[in-house]
Amino acid sequence: MNILAGQRVLLGITGSVAAYKGAELASRLTQAGALVDVILTAAAEKFISPLTFQSVTGRKAYTDADLWGGEGHVTHIGLGRAGELFIVAPASATTLARLANGLAENLLSVTALASHCPMIIVPAMDAGMYSHPATQQNVKILSERGALFVGPASGHLASGLVGVGRMEETPVIMGAARYIFGRNGTLSGKRLVITAGGTREAIDPVRTITNHSSGKQGYALAQAAIDQGADVVLITSSSLAVPYGCRVLSVDTAAQMHDAVMAEIKDAAGLIMAAAVADFRPVSSSPEKIKKEAGLPVIQLEPTADILKTVGEKRGSWPSLKCVVGFAAESEDLLTNARVKLHRKNLDMIVANDISSPDAGFSVDTNRVMLVQKDDSALSLPLMTKDEVAEEVIRHIAELLA
Ligand code: CTP
């Protein structure tokens, strides 16, 4: 279930050339199932029409005309009460000043006063205006009052200059919205360490031993855990888009992943090892590129540490660690191999993954998995997207941690 589905979102659009990005945001929120009520300031209407927003949300877009005419005095109270999240994107310097000072002379700011929901503010303005002490003071006041600031990003500005003031991109704002809605979820207050991607072991400065893991399943797990309010550390060798609110540690080798997991696991409630960790690495990696004139190289391998097995054996050392989950990528005897691994590594659950079928496993967006528990029970899930698999796995982990 998409965490944004059915949520009432107020989207304030203010006078900035980035107002067109607000239309993209309104569209993406609507596609995610949110009910989006857009409020434009008079300055926003100079950049973009309410009709654009009505067309993408399928709902009325409000302007200052609604404050002074029509339903008049109740519009802002009705909108303010109904909103479960208020996003102001783009937020101009003037609107920041209005919100910080509780001014209420347009529909957007009066609705903000009437609302009691969390607020995300996405500034967009010239770098000099953003760094001005007056704006910074307003940012501080609003942050202290609980608003979540997303951006501004650094980059090319409308003025032609480069600096900090660009409106943050839509996927990041969507991620922030998910983060807010997830805050009180089933994993709220629980720390999860999640690994993702395939490790790389150097043969020489050019070549590595690696595998086909894309990291998609691990990143999907991180997002699903954040949707349930978990505090997530993602230890990864991939460089996919990072879910909002997730702390990322980048690693290359199995040894680096081992060290990162051991450092992060200390106060974690759960570990999910979705990474495809190398089982072998070259005994030594050549400092110089191996040249073919030197003939066929003989690469001697040695085993890497089995991270999950080490954690399983030492579970008593981490009193807060209540749930350890592994993945088993198998091409034959899926259930038997998964059960053996679960017990050998002292896990609570293993996600068994049939990599022999073309629509499951590495690189593709879908997966066909079986959830095997400590009591040997096995739940076979149908073909699902990796996002859906992640939601199912996280739902089971939340039950184990409850
Ligand atoms: N794993 C690990 N450290 C390793 C190898 C694997 O922590 N050096 C973890 C993986 O992240 C996964 C689980 O162990 O969660 C099972 O990995 P898999 O490669 O399927 O099994 P192996 O134990 O490596 O056995 P084999 O490769 O022989 O199937």
Side-chain angles (χ1 to χ4, degrees):
M1 236 282 283
N2 185 330
I3 192 168
L4 296 172
Q7 305 281 9
R8 290 284 302 261
V9 176
L10 298 170
L11 176 58
I13 308 290
T14 77
S16 157
V17 65
Y20 75 92
K21 290 192 190 173
E24 192 203 5
L25 177 61
S27 172
R28 287 285 305 277
L29 287 166
T30 305
Q31 284 169 33
L35 304 169
V36 186
D37 290 316
V38 175
I39 306 172
L40 293 97
T41 63
E45 283 188 82
K46 306 251 187 226
F47 287 97
I48 194 162
S49 135
L51 184 61
T52 305
F53 290 96
Q54 276 170 207
S55 307
V56 296
T57 64
R59 298 167 72 83
K60 178 176 165 60
Y62 296 85
T63 66
D64 283 350
D66 297 295
L67 180 61
W68 304 114
E71 295 160 48
H73 64 287
V74 293
T75 304
H76 60 286
I77 305 290
L79 283 173
R81 286 241 174 103
E84 289 161 300
L85 173 64
F86 202 147
I87 306 178
V88 187
S92 65
T94 310
T95 292
L96 289 186
R98 285 197 188 109
L99 297 176
N101 291 288
L103 301 183
E105 88 283 28
N106 65 12
L107 183 62
L108 192 158
S109 53
V110 76
T111 306
L113 277 186
S115 75
H116 299 286
C117 59
M119 182 175 261
I120 292 175
I121 299 178
V122 189
M125 66 194 76
D126 171 69
M129 290 170 71
Y130 185 68
S131 62
H132 192 283
T135 306
Q136 287 302 306
Q137 180 70 17
N138 293 330
V139 170
K140 185 164 177 275
I141 290 169
L142 289 163
S143 301
E144 283 170 1
R145 218 178 273 157
L148 177 64
F149 274 80
V150 177
S154 177
H156 282 278
L157 304 171
S159 60
L161 300 173
V162 174
V164 177
R166 270 178 75 84
M167 177 168 156
E168 191 48 276
E169 298 304 324
T170 302
V172 181
I173 306 167
M174 298 282 290
R178 290 176 82 143
Y179 172 78
I180 297 264
F181 281 122
R183 279 193 304 197
N184 300 319
T186 51
L187 290 173
S188 178
K190 302 219 159 66
R191 186 131 189 274
L192 289 190
V193 177
I194 301 176
T195 65
T199 54
R200 289 179 287 269
E201 306 295 334
I203 295 170
D204 68 12
V206 178
R207 304 167 180 101
T208 60
I209 297 176
T210 185
N211 56 65
H212 291 302
S213 172
S214 63
K216 285 179 182 171
Q217 190 62 75
Y219 279 66
L221 283 160
Q223 180 64 71
I226 288 168
D227 282 350
Q228 291 303 329
D231 169 12
V232 178
V233 183
L234 182 64
I235 301 172
T236 177
S237 56
S238 303
S239 39
L240 303 174
V242 176
Y244 186 92
C246 179
R247 190 155 67 82
V248 172
L249 298 175
S250 293
V251 295
D252 264 327
T253 64
Q256 288 168 354
M257 187 168 275
H258 170 274
D259 292 351
V261 167
M262 294 307 158
E264 292 296 329
I265 209 172
K266 291 186 182 100
D267 51 355
L271 168 69
I272 312 176
M273 282 293 302
V277 187
D279 289 325
F280 315 104
R281 67 171 166 233
V283 170
S284 62
S285 123
S286 163
E288 307 301 339
K289 186 181 175 195
I290 300 171
K291 305 301 279 181
K292 59 176 173 256
E293 287 74 31
L296 267 188
V298 175
I299 301 165
Q300 255 211 315
L301 301 175
E302 64 182 6
T304 58
D306 188 323
I307 305 169
L308 202 49
K309 191 157 175 278
T310 311
V311 171
E313 282 165 359
K314 295 208 256 172
R315 281 184 69 155
S317 326
W318 303 289
S320 61
L321 187 68
K322 299 281 186 278
C323 181
V324 180
V325 175
F327 271 68
E330 304 293 344
S331 56
E332 56 185 356
D333 298 330
L334 183 64
L335 188 54
T336 313
N337 281 328
R339 282 185 176 138
V340 168
K341 278 181 196 172
L342 178 136
H343 295 294
R344 193 173 70 217
K345 303 195 185 194
N346 193 18
L347 309 179
D348 298 288
M349 186 166 79
I350 195 156
V351 184
N353 195 352
D354 180 0
I355 54 163
S356 62
S357 87
D359 53 10
F362 297 130
S363 299
V364 292
D365 288 328
T366 49
N367 219 346
R368 194 189 303 276
V369 303
M370 221 182 243
L371 305 185
V372 186
Q373 310 261 0
K374 215 158 69 181
D375 61 3
D376 279 338
S377 65
L379 174 66
S380 191
L381 299 177
L383 184 71
M384 288 177 163
T385 65
K386 287 187 174 171
D387 291 343
E388 289 165 340
V389 168
E391 283 167 25
E392 273 299 307
V393 172
I394 291 298
R395 197 169 62 74
H396 279 81
I397 289 175
E399 278 170 17
L400 290 171
L401 288 176

